[in-house]
Amino acid sequence: MKNCIVFILSIVLFSGSFSLAQDAGIPGADFNPNAAPYAFVQDVGEDVLSTLTWTSLATSVPISRSCIAYINVGGNDYIYHFGGGAGAQLSEVRRYDVAANTWTNTGFAPIPSGMSAAAAVTIGDKIYIFGGENAAGLGRTYMYDPVANTWTTKANMLTPVTDALVVKLVTEDYVYVIAGGNGLFGTVVSNAVQLYNVATNTYTAATSYPVSVAMLGGGILNYTIIAAGGWTGTTGQPAAYKGVIDPTNLANITWTPIPNYPGTGVTRMGSHHVTFGSLPSAAGVFFSGGAVNGATYTGGTYLYNYCTDAWETLTPSLSQPRSNFRGSGSGNNVVHLVAGWIGSAVGTHDRATLTGIAGNCYIPIPVELAAFSATVSNGDVMLNWQTITETNNKGFEIQRSSEDGFTSVGYVDGSGTTTEIQNYSFVDRRVNPGEYYYRLKQIDFDGTIAYSDEILAEVTPPALFALNQNFPNPFNPSTTIRFQVAVESDITLKVFNVLGQEVANVLNSKIEAGFHEVLFDASGLNSGVYFYQLQARGVDGKDYNSTKKMLLTK
């Protein structure tokens, strides 16, 4: 039978792609209003936000306009505290041991230059700092290696700013530097959005933020950014926006207004994304503190809830109203706020623990699948699929439908974490005639699984009998012999030497119509030329005979 393309699927959802659906037993698990690779299931339920618990922890040094980053190093969780300063810009580094509740303020390599009002994010096992105000200029980028205790100077920004909102994409290969200004309460503010490629150490201009502003807060989950508040150059402003990133063009962001920040025109608040509960979980962006119009210190604490798409006021408020600090955490329901300004610098360290969040919508899915197709040829089903991004992807188990449901027919390794397009293929060989559904079971390194949509492949019986050349040939000591049967038949497959003597009876059985193969083991034979012969008598009364030569080399 000639090659026959039976079915090719290329479904496009979510701005040019579709996500694998999490196996969470929830209807509509592939619903995603905010793009992949994170799915948001709109299943809010009856839960309401419960109280917020605050815990006072060991204090850092009194400092204003510093930044922090939460990181795991050698199995231990730490918070690194960088720079700061309202007058002179500082270069000191401090470290908090989360388990021991202690700070270490000495022994760390200083930042190459003083950094104030900068922002820090963890990328893999490194920490990157963006911004900073000093006489040397704005817009710097530095990388800190906590293990080596060394700094590396990276590319400067296209638009030099400090006091920007800085968020990392879930793939960890890209960072967005959003808006910003020239520090303190300067009148120079920007609406530039700068996309930093960690791998290439380059900046690209992305879709501008809707307003020119500095000192704003916000966070990111999946490809959805929430940003709010900030300084216009003359006063605070309450406007808030949702930015949805196009996963096929990361510089393309669709910004839409959301309700104003409940704390009004707040500047320099602490913020970070949060999730809550087992999957699917609640999710949102946490905001706390800051200064209203840059003047009145506040302890107001709020959450933008991804599941309800609305603001919520959290209680109790931050006990020490203050501004000029940053928030950080590991992305669960805990956020740390360190240091700040109350008219003078403080080293207060507060931990916010969200004890409940309304909703049930957040499902991390490590792979964004762009296409999945099946092609049938001579009884082989060839599967091809493509991913746009992958996060923590161990691999794919290929499953085929049967009377007992889906069964595994193979496995292909994934690419771990990448934002590059990846192409995969798998061949399911010698499949009996019939209609089959195939799906991909994607497996994360932590055991999380997700399933693709199912695609259909129809394997039709061959129109003719045929005996194929063995492979490999020459061989030692075994080879595969393939043949196709047009109708159910009594089959014999024998091997002869050059004298015409039978040396092996490989097959003697009734065989159904379809594509078949057998493995011939010639371990007991000497090197030389042999002939294999197929004889078939079909249920239709017709006979078929074919003989081919093969070479055994030992």
Side-chain angles (χ1 to χ4, degrees):
M1 180 179 178
K2 299 296 184 182
N3 291 357
C4 176
I5 297 177
V6 174
F7 185 86
I8 294 179
L9 173 69
S10 182
I11 293 179
V12 179
L13 296 173
F14 316 137
S15 300
S17 59
F18 70 91
S19 294
L20 297 171
Q22 178 75 25
D23 183 24
I26 299 172
D30 58 348
F31 174 72
N32 181 355
N34 299 310
Y38 284 100
F40 287 89
V41 182
Q42 205 72 11
D43 182 15
V44 174
E46 299 298 325
D47 295 338
V48 295
L49 186 70
S50 63
T51 57
L52 171 69
T53 300
W54 290 98
T55 304
S56 296
L57 301 174
T59 60
S60 184
V61 297
I63 196 70
S64 172
R65 303 170 76 222
S66 57
C67 60
I68 62 174
Y70 195 106
I71 191 170
N72 184 279
V73 180
N76 299 313
D77 289 337
Y78 299 103
I79 294 173
Y80 279 81
H81 187 194
F82 300 100
Q89 285 72 49
L90 305 179
S91 60
E92 287 85 351
V93 179
R94 314 121 196 139
R95 187 180 73 184
Y96 175 75
D97 186 317
V98 175
N101 187 30
T102 57
W103 283 94
T104 301
N105 299 329
T106 60
F108 304 105
I111 309 169
S113 64
M115 300 284 277
S116 146
V121 296
T122 300
I123 302 175
D125 59 355
K126 306 294 191 299
I127 299 172
Y128 283 68
I129 297 184
F130 300 84
E133 172 207 355
N134 76 359
L138 308 170
R140 295 179 308 281
T141 309
Y142 295 118
M143 182 189 77
Y144 180 64
D145 184 333
V147 175
N149 190 26
T150 57
W151 288 91
T152 302
T153 300
K154 296 294 184 176
N156 291 333
M157 299 177 192
L158 300 176
T159 302
V161 293
T162 191
D163 261 322
L165 170 62
V166 178
V167 294
K168 66 174 182 178
L169 200 58
V170 66
T171 57
E172 297 191 346
D173 289 332
Y174 294 88
V175 175
Y176 290 88
V177 179
I178 302 169
N182 64 341
L184 288 177
F185 287 95
T187 58
V188 178
V189 293
S190 171
N191 69 343
V193 177
Q194 304 175 74
L195 175 61
Y196 177 69
N197 185 326
V198 176
T200 62
N201 186 33
T202 57
Y203 279 96
T204 303
T207 306
S208 297
Y209 192 61
V211 294
S212 294
V213 65
M215 311 180 195
L216 67 169
I220 185 173
L221 278 172
N222 66 26
Y223 289 117
T224 302
I225 302 168
I226 300 297
W231 177 255
T232 66
T234 57
T235 188
Q237 65 91 35
Y241 296 89
K242 174 189 291 185
V244 177
I245 301 164
D246 180 354
T248 65
N249 179 6
L250 298 181
N252 184 18
I253 306 173
T254 301
W255 295 101
T256 56
I258 57 177
N260 284 351
Y261 185 63
T264 66
V266 175
T267 64
R268 288 187 179 146
M269 66 283 263
S271 56
H272 200 261
H273 68 271
V274 290
T275 60
F276 183 84
S278 58
L279 298 175
S281 78
V285 179
F286 172 92
F287 297 76
S288 186
V292 180
N293 296 323
T296 305
Y297 307 115
T298 177
T301 304
Y302 309 95
L303 178 83
Y304 189 84
N305 191 317
Y306 277 93
C307 302
T308 62
D309 209 25
W311 289 102
E312 298 177 13
T313 300
L314 305 182
T315 56
S317 298
L318 180 63
S319 60
Q320 185 186 54
R322 63 188 191 273
S323 68
N324 295 16
F325 59 92
R326 299 279 188 176
S328 189
S330 62
N332 57 10
N333 62 318
V334 175
V335 178
H336 290 258
L337 306 174
V338 178
W341 182 262
I342 58 172
S344 60
V346 295
T348 309
H349 181 184
D350 293 302
R351 182 181 67 206
T353 303
L354 282 75
T355 54
I357 303 176
N360 190 31
C361 69
Y362 173 79
I363 305 176
I365 298 174
V367 176
E368 185 184 357
L369 189 65
F372 182 28
S373 66
T375 305
V376 178
S377 175
N378 296 329
D380 293 342
V381 179
M382 293 162 285
L383 302 172
N384 293 280
W385 63 99
Q386 183 185 83
T387 63
I388 295 177
T389 63
E390 298 182 23
T391 304
N392 203 27
N393 179 25
K394 181 179 180 181
F396 302 91
E397 180 181 295
I398 296 89
Q399 297 186 342
R400 182 182 69 204
S401 62
S402 66
E403 293 180 356
D404 298 325
F406 280 91
T407 58
S408 176
V409 295
Y411 178 84
V412 174
D413 286 331
S415 299
T417 296
T418 178
T419 55
E420 300 295 328
I421 292 175
Q422 304 293 318
N423 293 293
Y424 298 92
S425 62
F426 176 81
V427 180
D428 191 12
R429 299 191 181 279
R430 320 323 295 166
V431 180
N432 291 329
E435 290 187 351
Y436 301 91
Y437 285 93
Y438 287 85
R439 70 181 183 185
L440 303 174
K441 177 182 177 182
Q442 188 277 323
I443 305 171
D444 200 352
F445 281 107
D446 64 6
T448 303
I449 62 173
Y451 291 96
S452 72
D453 289 340
E454 300 166 10
I455 59 173
L456 173 67
E458 182 181 0
V459 181
T460 57
L464 301 171
F465 286 88
L467 177 64
N468 297 337
Q469 185 64 52
N470 65 302
F471 181 84
N473 187 42
F475 67 97
N476 177 31
S478 61
T479 187
T480 297
I481 300 172
R482 293 182 177 180
F483 58 94
Q484 62 188 52
V485 177
V487 297
E488 183 179 317
S489 304
D490 291 318
I491 297 292
T492 61
L493 179 62
K494 297 180 179 181
V495 178
F496 301 89
N497 61 22
V498 292
L499 300 177
Q501 298 169 323
E502 180 181 323
V503 295
N505 189 341
V506 182
L507 184 65
N508 189 353
S509 179
K510 185 180 288 294
I511 299 294
E512 63 186 5
F515 301 89
H516 304 277
E517 63 180 37
V518 294
L519 183 67
F520 173 54
D521 187 347
S523 298
L525 300 178
N526 295 323
S527 296
V529 174
Y530 292 88
F531 298 89
Y532 59 101
Q533 182 183 72
L534 179 73
Q535 293 182 322
R537 168 156 287 191
V539 294
D540 59 0
K542 295 181 179 180
D543 293 333
Y544 173 80
N545 294 278
S546 182
T547 302
K548 291 187 179 294
K549 182 171 67 174
M550 58 184 175
L551 176 63
L552 172 63
T553 58
K554 290 188 174 181

